[in-house]
Amino acid sequence: KWMFIKQIMKGLSIIIPIFKEKDNFKILVEKIYINLKKIKIYEKNHEVIFIDDNSNDGVDLIYSKIKKKYFGLKLLIRKAKTKDLSQSCIYGFKKSKFDKILVMDGDLQHDPNYIPKFIKKMMLENYDFIIGSRDFKNRESVRLSFIRYFLSKFLIIFFNTLLGKKTSDPMSGFFLFKKEIFTKSKKKLFGKGFKILADLLYVSNNSLKTHDINIIFKSRKKNSSKISISVIFYILKFIILKFIKSSR
């Protein structure tokens, strides 16, 4: 099956938005490339792009030391006044050159071991989205604080009730999708905040073929969560705007 996938897959771009993830950078790069070898994808057919939101934490120095070891590894610095995960992802999508894009966080909570499973499911069954879905029935498996757990659960119910369910976890930051979906919908994207998956899903048509793969969150090793009041504000604003548009 992997040889068949290798033959039909045009390429894979992995986009990883980061901010102050210097301590996790090298570890994550190693894990990603181990899993790229598992799917036997040609070196010339993949790229791993880190989009740093102008951290100024020295991650560029680590990158310069290891970049020759990993084919297709890139570090792009997004110099903007406002730190914004969705904008970093969109910047990466525009810079990507392959027709399949995988998005994941840079804090080691998304396990690269799922990458082969995502690729295999999409290529063999022609899905538009493969989504790493957290099991919110089991709080321990999502590894969130009490407040973040119930906040995330509330927002997921809110999303899917108002906008229609396309996935059990529209708040996920770990997913694989066809780049053509972004290309066709980029002018309609809300494009702010921390939930680019929900933006892509709900701006697109209802015929999208999506599939959830249950994932287990890894514990955060370094740094802290980027969730904040402003992030929650952007999420709620996005939901309200999408609901108003869908009601017209």
Side-chain angles (χ1 to χ4, degrees), residues 38 59 89 107 128 163 166 187 206 213 217 227 242:
K38 291 178 184 178
V59 70
C89 287
D107 56 11
D128 296 305
L163 303 173
K166 291 184 173 72
K187 292 182 179 179
N206 292 324
I213 289 179
F217 248 29
I227 196 79
K242 294 296 179 186

Side-chain angles (χ1 to χ4, degrees), residues 121 125 127-132 166-167 209-213:
K121 194 69 178 177
E125 300 186 37
Y127 283 103
D128 296 305
F129 278 89
I130 301 294
I131 298 161
K166 291 184 173 72
T167 171
K209 188 178 179 184
T210 65
H211 180 77
D212 291 350
I213 289 179

Side-chain angles (χ1 to χ4, degrees), residues 16-223:
I16 307 163
I18 58 173
F19 180 68
K20 304 256 183 220
E21 297 291 357
K22 177 190 70 172
D23 295 330
N24 297 322
F25 180 75
K26 186 177 178 180
I27 299 170
L28 181 56
V29 168
E30 291 174 350
K31 290 178 179 291
I32 288 172
Y33 277 84
I34 287 172
N35 281 282
L36 286 175
K37 287 182 180 179
K38 291 178 184 178
I39 62 177
K40 298 180 172 61
I41 187 172
Y42 295 111
E43 278 194 346
K44 64 180 181 179
N45 286 358
H46 69 69
E47 59 185 352
V48 180
I49 307 175
F50 284 80
I51 312 295
D52 183 78
D53 227 346
N54 205 18
S55 299
N56 292 316
D57 64 346
V59 70
D60 54 326
L61 299 178
I62 299 173
Y63 167 71
S64 64
K65 291 178 181 179
I66 67 172
K67 63 181 180 180
K68 291 183 179 179
K69 183 179 177 181
Y70 300 101
F71 182 92
L73 179 63
K74 302 173 185 177
L75 174 67
L76 305 180
I77 309 297
R78 193 182 77 90
K79 295 182 178 180
K81 292 181 180 179
T82 305
K83 306 291 183 286
D84 190 288
L85 186 143
S86 287
Q87 284 295 308
S88 291
C89 287
I90 290 170
Y91 182 77
F93 298 163
K94 291 178 178 178
K95 295 292 184 180
S96 66
K97 61 183 181 181
F98 295 117
D99 67 323
K100 303 294 186 299
I101 297 178
L102 184 135
V103 179
M104 64 188 302
D105 288 348
D107 56 11
L108 300 179
Q109 287 191 292
H110 293 155
D111 190 345
N113 286 328
Y114 287 107
I115 294 175
K117 191 172 183 178
F118 282 25
I119 295 292
K120 185 176 181 181
K121 194 69 178 177
M122 173 174 275
M123 298 308 296
L124 294 181
E125 300 186 37
N126 194 32
Y127 283 103
D128 296 305
F129 278 89
I130 301 294
I131 298 161
S133 177
R134 297 164 291 178
D135 181 9
F136 279 89
K137 294 178 182 178
N138 180 3
R139 187 185 153 214
E140 292 300 318
S141 70
V142 297
R143 299 181 186 275
L144 297 175
S145 67
F146 180 84
I147 294 174
R148 284 196 66 201
Y149 172 78
F150 283 101
L151 175 62
S152 295
K153 198 168 182 179
F154 166 75
L155 288 172
I156 288 171
I157 294 170
F158 198 30
F159 258 115
N160 287 335
T161 301
L162 291 181
L163 303 173
K165 183 176 179 179
K166 291 184 173 72
T167 171
S168 61
D169 191 1
M171 308 290 286
S172 176
F174 191 15
F175 59 96
L176 173 68
F177 74 107
K178 296 178 180 178
K179 185 179 179 179
E180 65 186 58
I181 294 169
F182 166 72
T183 303
K184 291 177 181 178
S185 62
K186 60 184 177 182
K187 292 182 179 179
K188 301 177 184 177
L189 292 172
F190 180 67
K192 296 179 181 179
F194 279 62
K195 297 304 168 188
I196 189 64
L197 171 61
D199 208 352
L200 288 165
L201 282 173
Y202 295 110
V203 80
S204 304
N205 60 53
N206 292 324
S207 62
L208 287 176
K209 188 178 179 184
T210 65
H211 180 77
D212 291 350
I213 289 179
N214 290 333
I215 62 170
I216 297 175
F217 248 29
K218 293 285 187 178
S219 297
R220 186 184 296 274
K221 302 298 182 183
K222 304 286 183 179
N223 300 329

